[in-house]
Coordinates of all heavy atoms in Angstrom, one line a residue:
Q1 N 158.2 -18.9 103.2 CA 157.2 -18.2 102.4 C 157.7 -17.9 101.0 O 158.9 -17.6 100.9 CB 156.8 -16.9 103.1 CG 156.1 -17.0 104.4 CD 154.7 -17.3 104.4 OE1 154.0 -17.3 103.3 NE2 154.1 -17.8 105.5
Y2 N 156.9 -18.1 100.0 CA 157.3 -17.8 98.7 C 156.5 -16.6 98.1 O 156.9 -16.0 97.2 CB 157.1 -19.0 97.7 CG 155.7 -19.5 97.6 CD1 154.8 -19.0 96.6 CD2 155.2 -20.4 98.5 CE1 153.6 -19.4 96.5 CE2 153.9 -20.9 98.4 CZ 153.1 -20.4 97.4 OH 151.8 -20.8 97.3
K3 N 155.5 -16.2 98.9 CA 154.8 -15.0 98.6 C 154.5 -14.4 100.0 O 153.7 -14.9 100.8 CB 153.4 -15.2 97.9 CG 152.7 -14.0 97.6 CD 151.3 -14.2 96.9 CE 150.6 -13.0 96.6 NZ 149.3 -13.2 95.9
V4 N 155.3 -13.3 100.3 CA 155.2 -12.7 101.6 C 153.8 -12.2 102.0 O 153.3 -11.3 101.2 CB 156.3 -11.6 101.8 CG1 156.1 -10.9 103.1 CG2 157.7 -12.2 101.6
P5 N 153.2 -12.6 103.0 CA 151.9 -12.1 103.4 C 152.1 -10.7 104.0 O 152.6 -10.5 105.1 CB 151.4 -13.1 104.5 CG 152.6 -13.8 105.0 CD 153.7 -13.7 103.9
T6 N 151.6 -9.7 103.3 CA 151.8 -8.3 103.7 C 151.2 -8.0 105.1 O 151.8 -7.3 105.9 CB 151.1 -7.4 102.7 OG1 151.6 -7.6 101.4 CG2 151.3 -5.9 103.0
L7 N 150.1 -8.6 105.4 CA 149.5 -8.4 106.7 C 150.3 -8.9 107.8 O 150.5 -8.2 108.9 CB 148.1 -9.1 106.8 CG 147.3 -8.9 108.1 CD1 147.1 -7.4 108.4 CD2 146.0 -9.7 108.1
L8 N 151.0 -10.0 107.6 CA 151.9 -10.6 108.6 C 153.1 -9.7 108.8 O 153.5 -9.5 110.0 CB 152.4 -12.0 108.1 CG 153.2 -12.8 109.1 CD1 152.4 -13.1 110.4 CD2 153.7 -14.1 108.5
I9 N 153.6 -9.1 107.8 CA 154.7 -8.2 107.9 C 154.3 -7.0 108.7 O 155.0 -6.5 109.6 CB 155.3 -7.8 106.5 CG1 156.1 -9.0 105.9 CG2 156.3 -6.6 106.7 CD1 157.4 -9.4 106.5
D10 N 153.1 -6.5 108.3 CA 152.6 -5.2 109.0 C 152.4 -5.5 110.5 O 152.7 -4.6 111.3 CB 151.4 -4.8 108.4 CG 151.6 -4.2 107.0 OD1 152.8 -3.9 106.6 OD2 150.6 -4.1 106.2
I11 N 151.9 -6.6 110.9 CA 151.6 -7.0 112.3 C 153.0 -7.1 113.0 O 153.2 -6.7 114.1 CB 150.8 -8.3 112.4 CG1 149.4 -8.0 111.9 CG2 150.8 -8.8 113.8 CD1 148.5 -9.2 111.8
Q12 N 153.9 -7.8 112.3 CA 155.2 -8.0 112.9 C 155.9 -6.7 113.1 O 156.5 -6.5 114.2 CB 156.1 -8.8 111.9 CG 157.5 -9.2 112.4 CD 158.3 -10.0 111.4 OE1 158.4 -9.5 110.2 NE2 158.8 -11.1 111.8
N13 N 155.8 -5.7 112.2 CA 156.4 -4.4 112.4 C 155.8 -3.6 113.5 O 156.4 -2.9 114.2 CB 156.4 -3.6 111.1 CG 157.7 -3.8 110.3 OD1 158.7 -4.4 110.8 ND2 157.8 -3.2 109.1
L14 N 154.5 -3.8 113.6 CA 153.7 -3.1 114.7 C 154.2 -3.7 116.0 O 154.5 -2.9 117.0 CB 152.2 -3.4 114.6 CG 151.3 -2.8 115.7 CD1 151.5 -1.3 115.7 CD2 149.9 -3.2 115.5
M15 N 154.5 -4.9 116.1 CA 155.0 -5.5 117.3 C 156.5 -5.0 117.6 O 156.8 -4.7 118.7 CB 155.0 -7.1 117.3 CG 153.6 -7.7 117.2 SD 153.7 -9.4 116.9 CE 154.6 -10.0 118.4
F16 N 157.2 -4.9 116.5 CA 158.6 -4.4 116.7 C 158.6 -3.0 117.3 O 159.4 -2.6 118.1 CB 159.3 -4.4 115.3 CG 159.8 -5.7 114.8 CD1 160.0 -5.9 113.5 CD2 159.9 -6.8 115.7 CE1 160.4 -7.2 113.0 CE2 160.3 -8.1 115.3 CZ 160.6 -8.2 113.9
R17 N 157.6 -2.2 116.8 CA 157.6 -0.8 117.2 C 157.3 -0.6 118.7 O 157.8 0.4 119.3 CB 156.5 0.0 116.4 CG 156.9 0.2 114.9 CD 155.8 0.9 114.1 NE 156.1 0.9 112.7 CZ 156.9 1.7 112.1 NH1 157.6 2.6 112.8 NH2 157.1 1.6 110.8
I18 N 156.6 -1.5 119.3 CA 156.2 -1.4 120.7 C 157.2 -2.1 121.6 O 157.2 -2.0 122.8 CB 154.8 -1.8 121.0 CG1 154.7 -3.4 120.6 CG2 153.8 -1.1 120.2 CD1 153.3 -3.9 121.0
M19 N 158.1 -2.9 121.0 CA 159.2 -3.6 121.8 C 160.3 -2.6 122.2 O 160.6 -1.7 121.4 CB 159.8 -4.7 121.0 CG 158.8 -5.9 120.7 SD 159.4 -7.1 119.5 CE 160.9 -7.7 120.3
P20 N 160.8 -2.8 123.3 CA 162.0 -1.9 123.7 C 163.2 -2.0 122.9 O 163.4 -3.2 122.3 CB 162.2 -2.3 125.2 CG 161.7 -3.7 125.3 CD 160.5 -3.8 124.4
D21 N 164.0 -1.0 122.7 CA 165.1 -1.0 121.9 C 166.1 -2.2 122.3 O 166.7 -2.8 121.4 CB 165.9 0.3 121.9 CG 165.1 1.4 121.2 OD1 164.0 1.1 120.6 OD2 165.5 2.6 121.2
K22 N 166.2 -2.4 123.6 CA 167.2 -3.4 124.1 C 166.8 -4.8 123.6 O 167.7 -5.7 123.6 CB 167.3 -3.4 125.6 CG 166.0 -3.8 126.3 CD 166.1 -3.7 127.8 CE 164.8 -4.1 128.5 NZ 165.0 -4.0 130.0
S23 N 165.6 -5.0 123.1 CA 165.2 -6.4 122.6 C 166.0 -6.7 121.4 O 166.0 -7.9 121.0 CB 163.7 -6.4 122.4 OG 162.9 -6.1 123.6
F24 N 166.5 -5.7 120.7 CA 167.2 -5.9 119.4 C 168.7 -5.9 119.5 O 169.4 -6.0 118.5 CB 166.8 -4.9 118.4 CG 165.3 -4.8 118.2 CD1 164.4 -4.1 119.0 CD2 164.7 -5.5 117.1 CE1 163.1 -4.1 118.8 CE2 163.3 -5.5 116.9 CZ 162.5 -4.8 117.7
N25 N 169.2 -5.9 120.8 CA 170.7 -5.8 121.0 C 171.5 -6.9 120.4 O 172.6 -6.7 120.0 CB 170.9 -5.7 122.5 CG 170.5 -4.4 123.1 OD1 170.3 -3.4 122.4 ND2 170.5 -4.3 124.4
N26 N 170.9 -8.1 120.4 CA 171.6 -9.3 119.9 C 171.4 -9.7 118.4 O 171.8 -10.7 118.0 CB 171.4 -10.5 120.8 CG 171.8 -10.3 122.2 OD1 172.9 -9.7 122.5 ND2 171.0 -10.8 123.2
T27 N 170.7 -8.8 117.7 CA 170.4 -9.1 116.3 C 171.3 -8.6 115.3 O 171.3 -9.0 114.2 CB 168.9 -8.5 116.0 OG1 169.0 -7.1 116.0 CG2 167.9 -9.0 117.0
G28 N 172.2 -7.7 115.7 CA 173.1 -7.1 114.8 C 172.6 -5.9 114.1 O 173.3 -5.2 113.3
L29 N 171.3 -5.5 114.3 CA 170.7 -4.3 113.8 C 170.0 -3.6 114.8 O 169.5 -4.1 115.8 CB 169.7 -4.7 112.6 CG 170.3 -5.2 111.3 CD1 169.1 -5.6 110.4 CD2 171.2 -4.2 110.7
S30 N 169.8 -2.3 114.6 CA 169.0 -1.5 115.5 C 167.5 -1.8 115.3 O 167.1 -2.4 114.3 CB 169.2 0.0 115.4 OG 168.7 0.5 114.1
K31 N 166.6 -1.3 116.2 CA 165.2 -1.5 116.1 C 164.7 -0.9 114.8 O 163.9 -1.5 114.0 CB 164.5 -0.9 117.3 CG 163.0 -0.9 117.2 CD 162.4 -0.2 118.5 CE 160.9 -0.1 118.4 NZ 160.4 0.4 119.7
S32 N 165.1 0.4 114.5 CA 164.6 1.1 113.3 C 165.1 0.4 112.0 O 164.4 0.3 111.0 CB 165.1 2.5 113.3 OG 166.5 2.6 113.3
N33 N 166.3 -0.2 112.0 CA 166.8 -0.9 110.9 C 166.1 -2.2 110.6 O 165.9 -2.5 109.5 CB 168.3 -1.1 111.0 CG 169.1 0.1 110.9 OD1 168.7 1.1 110.4 ND2 170.3 0.1 111.5
I34 N 165.8 -2.9 111.7 CA 165.0 -4.1 111.6 C 163.6 -3.8 110.9 O 163.1 -4.6 110.1 CB 164.8 -4.8 112.9 CG1 166.1 -5.4 113.4 CG2 163.6 -5.8 112.9 CD1 166.3 -6.8 112.9
I35 N 163.0 -2.8 111.4 CA 161.7 -2.4 110.9 C 161.8 -2.0 109.4 O 160.9 -2.4 108.5 CB 161.1 -1.2 111.7 CG1 160.7 -1.7 113.1 CG2 159.9 -0.6 111.0 CD1 160.3 -0.6 114.0
T36 N 162.8 -1.3 109.0 CA 163.1 -0.9 107.6 C 163.3 -2.2 106.7 O 162.7 -2.3 105.6 CB 164.3 0.0 107.4 OG1 164.0 1.2 108.2 CG2 164.6 0.4 106.0
L37 N 164.1 -3.1 107.3 CA 164.3 -4.3 106.5 C 163.1 -5.1 106.3 O 162.8 -5.6 105.2 CB 165.4 -5.2 107.3 CG 165.7 -6.6 106.8 CD1 166.1 -6.5 105.3 CD2 166.7 -7.3 107.6
A38 N 162.3 -5.3 107.4 CA 161.0 -6.1 107.3 C 160.1 -5.4 106.3 O 159.4 -6.1 105.5 CB 160.4 -6.2 108.7
H39 N 160.0 -4.1 106.3 CA 159.1 -3.4 105.4 C 159.5 -3.6 103.9 O 158.7 -3.7 103.1 CB 159.1 -1.9 105.7 CG 158.2 -1.1 104.9 ND1 156.8 -1.0 105.2 CD2 158.3 -0.3 103.8 CE1 156.2 -0.3 104.3 NE2 157.1 0.2 103.4
S40 N 160.8 -3.7 103.7 CA 161.3 -3.9 102.3 C 160.9 -5.3 101.7 O 161.1 -5.5 100.5 CB 162.8 -3.7 102.3 OG 163.5 -4.8 102.9
M41 N 160.4 -6.2 102.6 CA 160.1 -7.5 102.1 C 158.6 -7.7 101.8 O 158.2 -8.7 101.3 CB 160.5 -8.5 103.2 CG 161.9 -8.6 103.5 SD 162.3 -9.3 105.2 CE 161.4 -10.9 105.1
R42 N 157.8 -6.6 102.0 CA 156.4 -6.7 101.9 C 155.8 -7.2 100.5 O 154.8 -7.8 100.4 CB 155.7 -5.3 102.2 CG 155.8 -4.9 103.6 CD 155.2 -3.5 103.9 NE 153.8 -3.6 104.0 CZ 152.9 -3.2 103.1 NH1 153.4 -2.7 101.9 NH2 151.6 -3.2 103.3
T43 N 156.6 -6.9 99.4 CA 156.0 -7.2 98.1 C 156.7 -8.4 97.5 O 156.5 -8.6 96.3 CB 156.2 -6.0 97.2 OG1 157.6 -5.6 97.1 CG2 155.4 -4.8 97.7
L44 N 157.5 -9.1 98.2 CA 158.2 -10.3 97.6 C 157.2 -11.3 97.2 O 156.4 -11.8 98.0 CB 159.2 -10.8 98.6 CG 160.4 -9.9 99.0 CD1 161.3 -10.6 100.0 CD2 161.2 -9.6 97.7
D45 N 157.3 -11.8 96.0 CA 156.4 -12.9 95.5 C 157.2 -13.6 94.4 O 157.4 -13.1 93.3 CB 155.1 -12.2 94.9 CG 154.1 -13.3 94.5 OD1 154.5 -14.5 94.5 OD2 153.0 -12.9 94.1
F46 N 157.5 -14.9 94.7 CA 158.2 -15.7 93.7 C 157.3 -16.8 93.1 O 157.8 -17.7 92.5 CB 159.4 -16.4 94.5 CG 160.3 -15.4 95.2 CD1 160.5 -15.7 96.5 CD2 160.8 -14.3 94.6 CE1 161.4 -14.8 97.3 CE2 161.6 -13.5 95.3 CZ 161.9 -13.7 96.6
S47 N 156.0 -16.6 93.2 CA 155.1 -17.6 92.6 C 155.4 -18.0 91.2 O 155.3 -19.1 90.8 CB 153.7 -17.1 92.8 OG 153.3 -16.8 94.1
N48 N 155.6 -17.0 90.4 CA 155.8 -17.2 88.9 C 157.2 -17.7 88.6 O 157.4 -18.2 87.4 CB 155.5 -15.9 88.1 CG 154.1 -15.4 88.2 OD1 153.2 -16.2 88.4 ND2 153.9 -14.1 88.2

């Protein structure tokens, strides 16, 4: 993606929130940190 679709990130984070914490055990980050990271990408746009 070169312009992050905000809706897609929001849906993804909603899914993350309802997933059990153990689902993130092999990612290197906690569930809350993954959600924070994904949220920080919402406004990325490299179009110009």
Side-chain angles (χ1 to χ4, degrees):
Q1 293 281 344
Y2 59 93
K3 179 179 181 180
V4 173
T6 302
L7 180 60
L8 184 62
I9 289 289
D10 290 343
I11 292 173
Q12 183 182 54
N13 266 355
L14 179 61
M15 293 175 61
F16 286 160
R17 291 180 189 281
I18 63 178
M19 290 169 62
D21 291 355
K22 64 181 181 181
S23 301
F24 301 86
N25 288 347
N26 296 323
T27 66
L29 289 178
S30 68
K31 174 178 175 177
S32 62
N33 290 338
I34 286 276
I35 292 172
T36 299
L37 173 57
H39 184 78
S40 73
M41 297 160 53
R42 291 178 81 253
T43 59
L44 295 177
D45 184 355
F46 307 125
S47 302
N48 294 331

